[in-house]
Amino acid sequence: DKCALSLFFFSDGEPTDHVQLKTSRAEAEKRMVDAISSMANRFGEILNVTMVGLGDPYDDFSSMKAMAKAATDAGAKGSFEFCSKTANAISSAISSL
């Protein structure tokens, strides 16, 4: 219970979980947010939840942002980092974590 825990997501921000779960995108996002919130409630401040969205500035990263916020709201450390599709940006985003 004294170990630092880290959960790292790296995604293009286009959720496809709803297809696998055979549900709506909104329901799939709710399930992901609830799962993150549950983990954050359980582990609190020893848990870091980091979301890195890879893409273009106009891409929709709302699901990743919602999960990072849910982690923070539940007592963990949640963050979202955007990076463009360049090696330099990816390196910078990951090293800043």
Side-chain angles (χ1 to χ4, degrees):
D1 55 339
K2 294 184 184 181
C3 267
L5 302 172
S6 184
L7 186 58
F8 180 83
F9 286 83
F10 189 72
S11 175
D12 64 0
E14 288 295 322
T16 57
D17 303 274
H18 64 285
V19 176
Q20 183 72 23
L21 295 171
K22 296 181 177 143
T23 188
S24 69
R25 183 173 171 176
E27 177 60 26
E29 181 176 313
K30 181 186 180 314
R31 288 184 190 183
M32 291 184 289
V33 166
D34 289 347
I36 295 291
S37 185
S38 177
M39 283 184 269
N41 276 321
R42 180 175 178 197
F43 295 107
E45 63 185 24
I46 65 170
L47 176 63
N48 281 307
V49 177
T50 305
M51 306 285 169
V52 176
L54 172 69
D56 297 311
Y58 55 82
D59 289 337
D60 181 10
F61 295 103
S62 59
S63 294
M64 296 179 81
K65 290 175 183 176
M67 288 189 287
K69 183 179 181 324
T72 300
D73 290 349
K77 297 172 193 128
S79 64
F80 172 80
E81 180 83 26
F82 167 78
C83 66
S84 59
K85 299 179 204 175
T86 66
N88 188 43
I90 295 167
S91 174
S92 177
I94 292 173
S95 66
S96 72
L97 306 172

